[in-house]
Amino acid sequence: MKNLDIKYIQKNLKTREFGRKLFYFEQLDSTSSHLAELSKGSAGQGTVVIAEQQTAGRGRQGNSWHSPPGPGLYFSLLLKPELPSIKLSGLTLALGCSAAETIEGITNCPVTVKWPNDLYCNNRKVGGMLTEMQSHGGLIDNAVIGIGLNVNNEAVPLELCDTASSLFLETGKATSREDLLVGLLSGLEDDYRLFREQGFKSFAGRLTARFFLQGKQASVQDGLGIRLRGVVSGFDSDGCLLLTDQQGRTVKCCSGTVTEMEP
Ligand code: BTN
């Protein structure tokens, strides 16, 4: 498969900030690790690091992210939101919603979001987002948004084939990784601005429409390792997940991993 056409990307990118500084590598350990290093220097908001291949791609919760050369898209975007840290989960959810809409618009594959940031097509995971931040005094200084997408993969590793897929496997069509990146950066820039102006509330409706677990029985292992169970009823104004437990109480979860349970 061909390498990304960076000239085409730069020619077609109409954003103000996102991707205007773009660092391209044939191979990196992780685009997010590299961008986190750059963020300690002069890298500004909107800086993007992209690699054809990652040798130590990272997923959420200490998982690795399979990043072979050729079919996938692996990039990280630097934000400097100066927002209270509590807003991070709403921000990542809003950006996940934005990414889902762009992918669906380009591929016609209906994309749902599994809280907090897994992207699903036909009930199979085709991508994910990893948000890492540095904060001080309760304010986010740097947020590195890492996005990994299985785009034109003709297969996924055997151990993942029950749950994971690619856009190619789900649609039967190849997607231009360049057009996908241009579309994603443009949508993310617009939606980041919207989030800064209006907060999470403007995404609640958009997200509910494509929310993988809405109304389903789920179990959440929260950030402190506590397991919560209930029916997913939506999100609060900060983007935290709301569950209704067996006693009818609403429980809120702002970080962790959610698993669908048999009803
Ligand atoms: C997940 O679903 O667990 C999140 C996966 C995020 C993977 C991307 S690929 C680009 C960026 N660099 C990394 O090391 N991870 C993210």
Side-chain angles (χ1 to χ4, degrees), residues 12-68:
N12 286 280
L13 200 61
K14 304 286 182 252
T15 51
R16 276 178 48 200
E17 270 188 323
F18 286 17
R20 291 273 146 215
K21 263 258 173 327
L22 191 145
F23 295 92
Y24 168 79
F25 296 86
E26 291 214 351
Q27 182 179 302
L28 270 182
D29 54 351
S30 152
T31 56
S32 288
S33 304
H34 190 75
L35 187 54
E37 280 305 310
L38 293 181
S39 75
K40 294 178 190 158
S42 60
Q45 173 153 287
T47 303
V48 167
V49 172
I50 184 159
E52 294 288 352
Q53 175 183 20
Q54 297 183 116
T55 53
R58 293 183 286 108
R60 293 181 64 248
Q61 313 255 306
N63 294 324
S64 59
W65 185 259
H66 180 62
S67 315

Side-chain angles (χ1 to χ4, degrees), residues 97 199-211 235-237:
C97 174
F200 179 75
K201 66 176 187 309
S202 47
F203 293 88
R206 280 165 64 182
L207 199 55
T208 303
R210 56 179 69 250
F211 191 42
F235 335 86
D236 72 359
S237 57

Side-chain angles (χ1 to χ4, degrees), residues 83-91 133 138-140 195 236-240 252 254:
L83 284 169
S85 312
I86 176 88
K87 300 285 177 200
L88 189 73
S89 58
L91 174 62
M133 69 154 181
L139 285 182
I140 306 167
F195 184 88
D236 72 359
S237 57
D238 288 320
C240 297
K252 165 167 139 170
C254 298

Side-chain angles (χ1 to χ4, degrees), residues 30-32 54 56-60 65 74-76 118 125 128-130 146-148:
S30 152
T31 56
S32 288
Q54 297 183 116
R58 293 183 286 108
R60 293 181 64 248
W65 185 259
Y74 321 111
F75 70 98
S76 300
D118 290 345
K125 182 164 170 172
M129 287 173 63
L130 173 72
I147 301 186

